[in-house]
């Protein structure tokens, strides 16, 4: 009787990194909330420092967790079944990110196509318009906030145009998808120079995108008066673009880690799922930006 051989499935020891990551995300959430409140009310507090502490702790967590994963992979502890588990996990992770952004796009859709027309008297709601906001005009972007209506009746903010920095950033992200794709092709065809140059170019483009988005926010606050408390338009604008910017930042960090691993020769044409997963994530972020550019900036 032939003894049946079972494929090994590596189960790591208990790790402290998930707990540290949870604490980091908690600090980021609390710090961001308090920082926004302090900024809008011109008050000083610990929101900014809490936010920075959360980001620092998150960076520590990512460094430690990535190191453990890389050490396990290079030690030959992973099996084919574990590789399939990683693929399934990455697919579900990206699906959760799709749902995350779908919630914000859904809020934008609800505000633009249901709430604002309803407040403007659509669907035989003329009495609602007179009671809740007399004289309200259902237009988008909604630049006049309730505070503006009570005081001056004029808009205190301006809309962010789709030309300029947003258009440049769109071109940058689309170009980064192309460079990353051909970097992946270079890895599969053992063309090391193509891999390293194009992956490095993708990282540079990601950094430029984040830098230009910061410049866009400065322009919004200083020149346009567009802030997080600028009504539903300001809310949806900064939440969608801000969370996307965070995803680009995380994606750029992942690509930096992959660059270091490629430099050390960790990947082969047949065994490079870490690179593939990072590529999936980056292309997903690019697709989200295209949708965001269309629905937030243009329409």
């Amino acid at each position: 009787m032939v003894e049946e051989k079972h494929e090994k499935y590596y189960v790591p020891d208990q790790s402290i990194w998930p707990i540290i990551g949870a604490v980091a995300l908690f600090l980021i959430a609390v710090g961001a909330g308090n920082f926004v409140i302090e900024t809008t009310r011109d008050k000083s507090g610990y929101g900014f420092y809490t936010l920075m502490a959360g980001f620092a702790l998150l960076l520590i967590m990512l460094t430690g967790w990535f190191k453990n994963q890389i050490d396990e992979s290079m030690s030959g502890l992973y099996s084919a079944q574990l590789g399939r588990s990683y693929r399934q996990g990455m697919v579900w992770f990206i699906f959760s990110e799709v749902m995350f952004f779908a919630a914000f796009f859904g809020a934008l859709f609800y505000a633009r196509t249901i709430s604002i027309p309803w407040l403007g008297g659509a669907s035989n709601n003329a009495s609602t318009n007179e009671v809740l906001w007399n004289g309200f005009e259902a237009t988008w972007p909604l630049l006049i906030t309730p505070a503006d209506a009570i005081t001056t009746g004029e808009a205190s903010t301006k809309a962010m145009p789709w030309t300029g920095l947003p258009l440049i950033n769109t071109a940058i992200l689309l170009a980064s998808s192309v460079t990353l794709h051909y970097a992946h092709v270079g890895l599969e065809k053992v063309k090391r120079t193509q891999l390293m140059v194009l992956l490095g170019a993708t990282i540079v483009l990601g950094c430029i995108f984040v830098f230009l988005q910061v410049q866009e926010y400065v322009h919004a606050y200083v020149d346009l008066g567009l802030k997080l408390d600028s009504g539903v338009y300001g809310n949806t604008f900064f939440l969608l673009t801000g969370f996307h910017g965070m995803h680009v930042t995380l994606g750029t960090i992942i690509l930096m880690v992959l660059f270091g691993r490629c430099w050390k020769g960790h990947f082969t044409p047949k065994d490079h799922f870490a690179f593939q997963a990072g590529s999936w994530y980056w292309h997903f972020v690019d697709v989200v930006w295209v949708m965001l550019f269309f629905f937030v900036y243009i329409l």
Side-chain angles (χ1 to χ4, degrees):
M1 183 176 179
V2 180
E3 183 180 355
E4 183 180 358
K5 293 184 178 180
H6 295 279
E7 187 180 77
K8 64 178 181 178
Y9 192 95
Y10 174 69
V11 178
D13 296 330
Q14 292 184 353
S15 174
I16 195 176
W17 299 122
I19 298 176
I20 293 179
V23 173
L25 293 177
F26 174 77
L27 292 176
I28 290 174
V30 173
N34 282 278
F35 177 65
V36 169
I37 293 174
E38 292 162 5
T39 302
T40 55
R41 296 181 180 178
D42 294 327
K43 293 182 178 181
S44 59
Y46 298 98
F48 176 77
Y49 301 105
T50 305
L51 180 62
M52 291 299 102
F55 279 124
L57 195 59
L58 183 65
L59 184 60
I60 293 173
M61 182 275 292
L62 290 174
T63 302
W65 209 339
F66 283 175
K67 181 180 183 302
N68 288 352
Q69 291 286 104
I70 294 170
D71 291 341
E72 291 169 359
S73 176
M74 298 308 296
S75 299
L77 298 175
Y78 294 166
S79 62
Q81 177 58 41
L82 188 59
R84 288 189 288 271
S85 297
Y86 271 123
R87 282 168 172 78
Q88 293 173 4
M90 191 64 190
V91 168
W92 282 112
F93 170 69
I94 292 180
F95 177 75
S96 71
E97 293 286 87
V98 171
M99 294 296 100
F100 176 84
F101 279 102
F104 289 104
F105 279 112
L108 177 64
F109 172 82
Y110 184 86
R112 291 181 58 171
T113 62
I114 299 177
S115 295
I116 291 178
W118 180 81
L119 189 59
S123 302
N124 298 320
N125 285 312
S127 60
T128 304
N129 171 255
E130 295 174 358
V131 172
L132 294 181
W133 193 332
N134 190 21
F136 174 81
E137 295 183 5
T139 60
W140 187 267
L142 187 60
L143 301 179
I144 298 180
T145 66
D148 295 331
I150 294 174
T151 55
T152 63
E154 298 180 355
S156 60
T157 185
K158 299 178 182 178
M160 177 67 69
W162 64 269
T163 55
L165 291 177
L167 183 60
I168 293 173
N169 266 348
T170 301
I172 287 173
L173 272 193
L174 291 176
S176 71
S177 267
V178 176
T179 56
L180 183 57
H181 169 72
Y182 283 103
H184 193 185
V185 172
L187 173 58
E188 292 177 331
K189 294 185 177 180
V190 199
K191 296 182 178 180
R192 181 174 174 81
T193 301
Q194 176 179 328
L195 166 64
M196 300 305 297
V197 170
L198 293 181
L199 180 57
T202 307
I203 294 172
V204 171
L205 290 173
C207 293
I208 294 174
F209 177 92
V210 175
F211 174 77
L212 291 182
Q213 191 168 46
V214 172
Q215 299 302 310
E216 180 186 347
Y217 280 5
V218 172
H219 172 61
Y221 264 72
V222 176
D223 301 324
L224 302 181
L226 179 58
K227 303 177 181 179
L228 188 60
D229 61 349
S230 299
V232 68
Y233 174 62
N235 294 162
T236 53
F237 175 83
F238 282 105
L239 284 174
L240 276 164
T241 59
F243 276 119
H244 179 269
M246 289 179 60
H247 282 74
V248 173
T249 302
L250 179 59
T252 304
I253 294 173
I254 292 174
L255 293 180
M256 289 177 179
V257 174
L258 294 176
F259 185 88
R261 296 195 64 184
C262 290
W263 183 269
K264 293 186 176 182
H266 285 186
F267 302 128
T268 66
K270 293 184 178 180
D271 185 13
H272 59 271
F273 175 69
F275 189 98
Q276 195 174 32
S279 179
W280 289 355
Y281 184 80
W282 191 260
H283 292 313
F284 160 75
V285 169
D286 289 355
V287 171
V288 170
W289 175 260
V290 172
M291 295 178 60
L292 192 153
F293 179 70
F294 184 74
F295 287 107
V296 174
Y297 288 94
I298 296 180
L299 289 185

